[in-house]
Amino acid sequence: MSLSLSTTAAVHQRLRPWLPAWLPLRPWPHVVWLALLLFTDFQLWYGQFGLYYQETETGWHFLLKALWVDVVDCALFYFNWIVLSRLLPARRLVLYAGAVVGGVLVFAALRIGLSVFYAEGVQQFKLAEHVRMLSNYHLGLGLLIIILSGSLRLAVDYLEERDNRRELQAQHLVTELSLLKAQVNPHFLFNTLNNIYALTLQHSPRAPEAVLRLSEIMRYVLYESGADTVPLARELTHLHGFLELQRLRLPSHAAATVQFCTTLAPGADYVFPIAPMLLLPLVENAFKHGHLLAPAPAIQLNLEVDAAGALCFTVRNAVAASQAASLEAPGGVGLPNLRRRLALLYPQRHTLTISTTEQEYCATLMVQLRPTAVIL
C-alpha cells in the first residue's frame, strides 16, 4: 500500500474540519471584495441621473448590466490573485508585470464594450471620443482593482506566513525534544558508550573514530540543529556519523548490509541548504523496524540532488517475516513530526510516500530545495 501527504488538505482539515476543502481558509478578503462590488452597484443605482446618465434605467436593465460588469471586475481581481500567488514567490517579476498589463488591457476592452453596448455614458460625444474617454477611466479602474487584489493577497500571505512561523516555533520545540529522545536517548547513548568501551579494551583503532563520531552527533544535535537551515553537506556528515555508530552495534557480517549511496550535482551539497535533521527520522525507522540480519542489503539509502535542487531520498529496509505490518508503532512521533515539519518548511514543495510489502518497507521523500537560507 502507499501513503502520500497533501499539505493544503491536511492544513484545512486541521483548522476547519467541518467545512469542505475547497473553501478558503481566510474568507475575509473575498467578503471585502464582494461588499465593495455591492456598494458600488448600490451607489450607481441611486446616482444614475445627472450629467452621466440621460434617463433612469429600469431595474432589470440595470441588474443585467451590473451583473456583467461585476463578472468582468471579478475576472481581473482573481486573475491577479492567482497570477500573483504563482509568479511572485518564484520571483518572475517581468512575467508578472506582463500578465498585469495584459489583464488590464483586456479588462478595459471588455468594460468599454459593455459601456458602448448598454449605451452607458454621455451620448452627445462621437463614438471615438466616447471610447477614448472610457479608456482613460477603465484603465485607471483596472489598475485600482490590481492594487486592491494584490494588497489583499499579500495581506493573506503575510498572515499565513506569520501563523506558520508561530506554529513552526512551537513545533520546533516538540520536534527537538522528540529528536533528542529518539537519537540521544539513554539506550542509544549507553549502547554506543559500551561499544566504545569494548573497542578500547581491545585496543581497536576504531575507538578514537567512534568517540569522534559520537561527539560530532552530540554537537550537531545540541548546537547546530537550532538553525533554520544547514548546508546539505553538514546533514550528510551527520547521517554518515549516525550510520557508523549504528554499525558498531551490529555484527561484522551485518554491518556491511547497510548501504548509503549519494548522487549529487556539482556543488549541490553546499549550494542548497536543508532543514536540519529532516532526513534522519526515516533512517531511524529503518533501523528500528528493519530486519538487520537479512541478506545484503538489509538497509539501503539513496540520496540524489540534481542541479535544480530537486532532492530525492529513498530508504529501503528488509522486513522479517514475523514483523507487524506497521512502519511506526502506535503513538510514535517520528513520522507525524516529519510530515508536519515538511508541511511548515516546504509547503507545496515536497512529497512523502511510504510503501510496504511483505519483504520490505520503502520511504521516498522528494523536496524542492532552494539556493537560499530562507525556506518559508
Side-chain angles (χ1 to χ4, degrees):
M1 67 177 181
S2 63
L3 301 174
S4 61
L5 175 66
S6 175
T7 303
T8 304
V11 173
H12 196 289
Q13 183 68 19
R14 178 176 55 84
L15 295 179
R16 298 191 305 175
W18 59 88
L19 291 178
W22 55 267
L23 286 178
L25 291 176
R26 286 182 170 85
W28 63 266
H30 310 282
V31 174
V32 170
W33 171 243
L34 178 60
L36 183 60
L37 287 180
L38 295 178
F39 175 75
T40 303
D41 294 339
F42 177 81
Q43 228 182 7
L44 290 176
W45 170 254
Y46 281 96
Q48 59 179 318
F49 48 84
L51 293 178
Y52 195 68
Y53 289 93
Q54 291 185 342
E55 59 182 9
T56 302
E57 296 178 285
T58 62
W60 288 110
H61 184 271
F62 177 83
L63 287 177
L64 184 59
K65 182 186 69 176
L67 177 61
W68 282 110
V69 168
D70 290 346
V71 168
V72 174
D73 292 351
C74 286
L76 180 62
F77 181 90
Y78 287 107
F79 170 77
N80 181 71
W81 182 282
I82 296 174
V83 170
L84 181 66
S85 64
R86 299 287 179 85
L87 299 182
L88 194 60
R91 300 177 183 177
R92 305 175 70 177
L93 300 180
V94 176
L95 184 59
Y96 171 67
V100 167
V101 171
V104 171
L105 292 178
V106 173
F107 164 81
L110 292 175
R111 286 296 303 268
I112 291 172
L114 289 173
S115 298
V116 173
F117 179 78
Y118 284 102
E120 182 183 43
V122 182
Q123 302 300 317
Q124 61 264 32
F125 295 120
K126 296 181 180 179
L127 179 61
E129 297 175 346
H130 191 194
V131 170
R132 185 166 53 253
M133 179 186 67
L134 291 175
S135 298
N136 296 330
Y137 171 76
H138 289 306
L139 286 175
L141 178 61
L143 290 177
L144 288 177
I145 293 177
I146 290 293
I147 293 174
L148 177 62
S149 173
S151 300
L152 291 176
R153 180 69 200 191
L154 291 177
V156 170
D157 291 343
Y158 169 78
L159 293 177
E160 290 181 351
E161 182 177 352
R162 184 197 63 183
D163 293 345
N164 282 344
R165 286 185 178 275
R166 288 178 178 177
E167 186 172 357
L168 183 59
Q169 291 175 355
Q171 185 69 19
H172 182 75
L173 297 177
V174 177
T175 303
E176 186 176 7
L177 290 175
S178 65
L179 289 173
L180 286 173
K181 180 180 178 181
Q183 300 164 43
V184 199
N185 58 69
H187 181 71
F188 168 77
L189 185 59
F190 289 147
N191 277 343
T192 302
L193 290 175
N194 285 334
N195 290 329
I196 294 175
Y197 177 69
L199 291 176
T200 58
L201 291 179
Q202 300 168 8
H203 301 285
S204 172
R206 299 181 61 191
E209 180 185 358
V211 174
L212 179 62
R213 295 289 187 183
L214 181 60
S215 65
E216 288 178 348
I217 286 181
M218 296 292 294
R219 184 185 302 111
Y220 185 78
V221 171
L222 296 177
Y223 298 111
E224 299 183 35
S225 64
D228 290 338
T229 59
V230 295
L232 181 60
R234 191 69 187 92
E235 181 77 0
L236 292 180
T237 300
H238 175 59
L239 281 180
H240 281 292
F242 179 81
L243 291 176
E244 289 301 321
L245 287 181
Q246 290 288 355
R247 288 190 178 104
L248 290 177
R249 304 170 55 186
L250 300 176
S252 57
H253 67 279
T257 65
V258 179
Q259 300 178 1
F260 187 13
C261 301
T262 58
T263 304
L264 306 178
D269 47 347
Y270 290 98
V271 172
F272 298 103
I274 190 173
M277 298 185 179
L278 193 72
L279 308 178
L280 199 57
L282 298 178
V283 181
E284 287 188 327
N285 271 305
F287 278 97
K288 181 178 179 182
H289 301 283
H291 181 31
L292 301 180
L293 300 180
I299 296 179
Q300 187 174 15
L301 313 176
N302 185 54
L303 178 71
E304 298 180 3
V305 181
D306 63 18
L311 179 147
C312 180
F313 184 52
T314 304
V315 180
R316 300 177 183 272
N317 63 271
V319 179
S322 59
Q323 187 173 356
S326 174
L327 183 61
E328 188 165 359
V333 295
L335 289 182
N337 273 338
L338 175 60
R339 290 191 177 99
R340 190 64 198 132
R341 289 187 73 202
L342 288 169
L344 293 172
L345 293 169
Y346 301 96
Q348 309 297 329
R349 293 193 288 131
H350 77 275
T351 58
L352 174 60
T353 305
I354 300 172
S355 60
T356 66
T357 66
E358 295 181 356
Q359 291 77 31
E360 72 169 11
Y361 293 119
C362 178
T364 302
L365 173 62
M366 303 186 68
V367 179
Q368 180 61 51
L369 303 177
R370 291 176 177 172
T372 60
V374 180
I375 58 177
L376 281 180

